[in-house]
């Protein structure tokens, strides 16, 4: 079923938009909290670190630190320097109008920025075919990195950590990505150069990391190379972390887009009508913006030129959000996991363990040591969860049956493209050219994603299980030396107390339950294996019945299916297909597979099928979120199939059946956001056990806020030559087709 919701169209911002007036006149708009960089010096780095942690990381609100323009070396951070030193370097720009990539040199792009900017005015800015060329995600010059490093507070800088644990006098790890071996790190220190009308669509930072962006230079309205420039700035629209669920639902149900796909720049009216608070700031040179984890934001560039440097940081708090929320969402849309989150947990524990083994160098570093202890405990809790998810059932297969490949961080899931830390499944038959194996992560296999063989896949692991569990015990004992009480159990105890099956155990059972398909037999090459029973198409293809295959009928869609495609209730033995459970009840396949005593919606008196709705004792379930459906065929390995749920189908029909209460769903999400801050609550217990006193951040004042909570040598012709003929009068010129 295709997406039947209307999709909000792109509408650009006017060049003469007055940001202060906009914020003042819009009830749900608010200025971003701002401090001056001089306040950091005046109140101390430790106080500022507490502010960032409480306001941005745990509080989930954006923060702007201004004034860095006075500290940036204008002879290096300038258009002239960049053109002179790197003008010949080839880069790939993004043509936002045609949504295509454009090869060009930095020098050629810079000298054409006035042409690209001067095509826009307050009368023609909505014309759809004019060029918007954005030089984004390019490597940051080494000189810029070196000059920026002593200016930015150390714990916020790119890949920050003490270089040698044994000689560290101030133990601190600002960015846990730095704990990975250099070959495994994601290079995310990037530059963004834009002109009037270029933009970044609404999105959340990858893997729930912390976003950090500083504008290092912009045009100031002066004459450059004989041409008058327009002052450059960037308008940011940002949300709070706690509003992530209502933002996602609003984006999907009202705007018809998925925030996880990162393909829509929301209209100004959409932000004004949103049922959540939106922070707005106009970023100018020297403004350093800190973006909270999972907080949606979009950016619009103004003027002749804006030049920014951006990077991301990973912390124990963002890693938890990544593992719990960001990665499952990314898996649904097959978005690359570039940060290797589980590996970061593992390597960070080893690095922090080395730092803690030294003890505090002196009393002045006691705060850093306490913070390191807290981070170590949080990382250990995440590591325990990772190991538990990979634990086999008691009668695990002989270790000789498990293939071993030393971990190098390069193995990704053939379907969702997530990074695989240790155990996964591989198909011995689906091996492509140059030994291109078909590898599937446990989470995808549980969802019904795999190659066409479906079963008889074999296990692979990248670490010795003994090594992983021994490290777990070693780190647990180290925590016991500074944590009050017995906060963490040893691994056998934690495994024994699990009430549900682990993903590894579910995979073991599903490998036995799902039938093997011999892909060498032509009859199976003509079979439709999408297998999701819920469909309105009368011409749906059916696989030829296997006489030996036990079948059942779905209580919802009434199609008969093999039993391995159905979830059976432990009480009434009624069957539900996984597609109906997913769309009508927000139940993932894993939710039914992780217990032997699964109880169906009918027995829980919440079934929403037509027959059950006539039962006066039934309280029909209403979907809590809008699912537009994702066609992942363009991203997943072409050998892939979905054998349990067709995730291309939306749940629009079920929303309509429930009355399509869009306002009600948004209200529920907003109430949940206001009721509790999940991220902050998760940190409380560890802080109490580690006896970390609640810090005061009143030392740093937040401005406006109360207490915290040209040449004609076209070369590669990347820019339309017709723009050369613009003379400043645009009223009589038609837009140029691209």
């Amino acid at each position: 079923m295709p997406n039947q919701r209307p999709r909000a169209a792109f509408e650009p911002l006017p060049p003469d938009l007055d940001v202060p007036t906009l914020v003042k006149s819009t009830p749900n708009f608010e200025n971003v909290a701002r401090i001056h960089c001089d306040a950091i010096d005046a109140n101390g780095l430790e106080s500022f670190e507490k502010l960032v942690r409480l306001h941005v990381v745990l509080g989930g609100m954006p923060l702007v630190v201004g004034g860095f323009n006075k500290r940036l070396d204008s002879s290096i951070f300038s258009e002239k320097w960049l053109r002179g030193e790197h003008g010949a370097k080839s880069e790939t720009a993004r043509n936002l109008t045609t949504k295509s990539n454009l090869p060009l040199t930095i020098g050629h792009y810079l000298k054409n920025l006035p042409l690209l900017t001067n095509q826009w005015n307050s009368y023609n800015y909505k014309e759809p075919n004019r060029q918007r060329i954005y030089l984004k995600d390019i490597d940051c010059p080494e000189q810029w990195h070196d000059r920026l490093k002593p200016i930015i507070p150390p714990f916020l800088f790119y890949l920050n950590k003490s270089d040698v644990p044994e000689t560290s006098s101030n133990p601190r790890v600002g960015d846990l990505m730095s704990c990975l071996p250099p070959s495994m790190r994601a290079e995310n220190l990037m530059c963004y150069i834009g002109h009037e009308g270029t933009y970044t669509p609404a999105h959340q930072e990858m893997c729930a990391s912390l976003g950090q962006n500083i504008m290092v230079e912009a045009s100031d309205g002066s004459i450059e190379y004989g041409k008058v420039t327009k002052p450059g700035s960037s308008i940011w629209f940002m949300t709070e972390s706690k509003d992530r669920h209502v933002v996602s639902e609003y984006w999907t149900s009202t705007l018809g887009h998925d925030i996880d796909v990162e393909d829509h720049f929301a209209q100004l009216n959409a932000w004004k009508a949103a049922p959540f608070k939106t922070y707005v700031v106009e970023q100018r040179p020297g403004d350093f913006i800190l973006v909270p984890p999972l907080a949606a934001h979009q950016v619009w560039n103004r003027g002749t030129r804006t030049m920014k440097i951006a990077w991301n940081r990973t912390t124990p708090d963002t890693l938890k959000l990544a593992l719990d929320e960001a990665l499952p969402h990314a898996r649904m849309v097959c978005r690359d996991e570039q940060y290797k989150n589980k590996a970061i947990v593992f390597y960070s524990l080893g690095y922090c363990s080395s730092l803690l083994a030294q003890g505090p160098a002196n009393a002045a570093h006691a705060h850093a040591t306490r913070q390191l202890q807290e981070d170590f405990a949080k990382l250990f809790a995440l590591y325990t969860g990772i190991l538990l998810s990979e634990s086999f059932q008691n009668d695990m297969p002989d270790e000789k049956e498990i293939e071993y490949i030393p971990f190098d961080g390069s193995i990704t899931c053939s379907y969702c493209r997530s990074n695989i830390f240790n155990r996964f499944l591989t198909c011995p038959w689906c091996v492509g050219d140059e030994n291109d194996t078909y590898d599937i992560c446990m989470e995808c296999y549980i969802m019904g994603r795999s190659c066409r063989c479906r079963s008889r896949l074999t296990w692979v692991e990248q670490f010795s299980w003994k090594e992983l569990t021994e490290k777990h015990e070693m780190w647990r004992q180290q925590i016991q030396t500074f944590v009050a009480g017995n906060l963490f159990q040893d691994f056998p105890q934690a495994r024994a107390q699990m009430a549900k099956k682990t993903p590894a155990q579910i995979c073991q059972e599903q490998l036995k339950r799902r039938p093997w398909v011999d892909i060498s037999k032509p009859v199976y090459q003509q079979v439709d294996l999408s297998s999701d029973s819920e469909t309105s198409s009368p011409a749906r293809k059916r696989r030829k019945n296997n006489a030996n295959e036990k079948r059942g009928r779905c209580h919802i869609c009434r199609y008969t299916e093999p039993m391995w495609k159905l979830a059976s209730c432990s009480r009434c033995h009624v069957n539900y297909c996984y597609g109906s459970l997913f769309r009508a009840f927000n139940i993932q396949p894993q939710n039914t597979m992780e217990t032997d005593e699964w109880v169906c919606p009918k027995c829980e008196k919440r079934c929403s099928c037509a027959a059950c709705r006539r039962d006066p004792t039934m309280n029909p379930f209403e979907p809590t979120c809008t699912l537009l459906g994702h066609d992942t065929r363009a991203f997943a390995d072409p050998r892939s199939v979905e054998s349990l749920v067709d995730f291309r189908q939306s749940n629009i029909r079920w929303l309509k059946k429930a009355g399509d209460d869009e306002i009600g769903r948004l209200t529920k999400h907003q109430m949940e956001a206001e009721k509790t801050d999940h991220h902050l609550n998760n940190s409380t217990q560890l802080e109490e056990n580690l006896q970390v006193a609640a810090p005061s951040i009143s030392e740093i004042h937040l401005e406006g806020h109360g207490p915290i909570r040209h040449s004609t040598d076209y070369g590669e012709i990347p820019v339309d030559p017709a723009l050369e003929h613009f003379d400043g009068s645009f009223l009589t010129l038609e837009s140029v087709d691209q």
Side-chain angles (χ1 to χ4, degrees), residues 29 61 67 69 166 188 223 250 259 290 308 335 348 354 364 371 392 428 449 464 494 508 515 536 547 571 669 710:
F29 282 9
M61 294 174 284
N69 54 307
E166 292 77 9
N188 61 35
I223 297 176
Y250 179 71
I259 195 72
L290 306 181
K308 291 169 283 189
R335 186 179 183 182
S348 296
S354 300
Q371 185 62 56
F392 288 132
R449 295 169 165 180
S464 161
Q508 286 182 296
S536 58
R571 292 183 184 175
H669 287 302
H710 321 128

Side-chain angles (χ1 to χ4, degrees), residues 281-297:
V281 64
E282 185 166 10
Q283 182 188 26
R284 302 184 188 278
D287 284 345
F288 183 35
I289 297 182
L290 306 181
V291 184
L294 293 180
H297 56 284

Side-chain angles (χ1 to χ4, degrees), residues 59-78:
M61 294 174 284
L63 178 67
V64 178
V65 184
F68 283 109
N69 54 307
K70 301 296 184 180
R71 306 183 182 189
L72 294 170
D73 185 348
S74 59
S75 66
I76 298 295
F77 294 100
S78 69

Side-chain angles (χ1 to χ4, degrees), residues 377 380-381 383-385 387-388 468-480 483-499 685-686:
F380 182 78
Y383 181 62
T384 301
L387 288 195
L388 288 173
L468 295 178
T469 53
E470 286 180 347
K471 286 185 179 293
H472 182 277
E473 180 59 20
M474 178 184 69
W475 291 330
R476 188 186 72 86
Q477 292 182 7
Q478 188 173 10
I479 289 177
Q480 296 302 111
V483 175
N486 187 20
L487 186 60
F488 297 105
Q489 300 173 317
D490 62 37
F491 188 74
Q493 286 180 310
R495 178 69 179 91
Q497 292 187 10
M498 284 196 68
Q685 183 181 7
L686 278 175

Side-chain angles (χ1 to χ4, degrees), residues 293-308:
L294 293 180
H297 56 284
Q298 68 181 31
V299 187
W300 181 267
N301 297 316
R302 312 178 79 180
T304 302
R305 181 181 64 256
T306 59
M307 303 173 71
K308 291 169 283 189

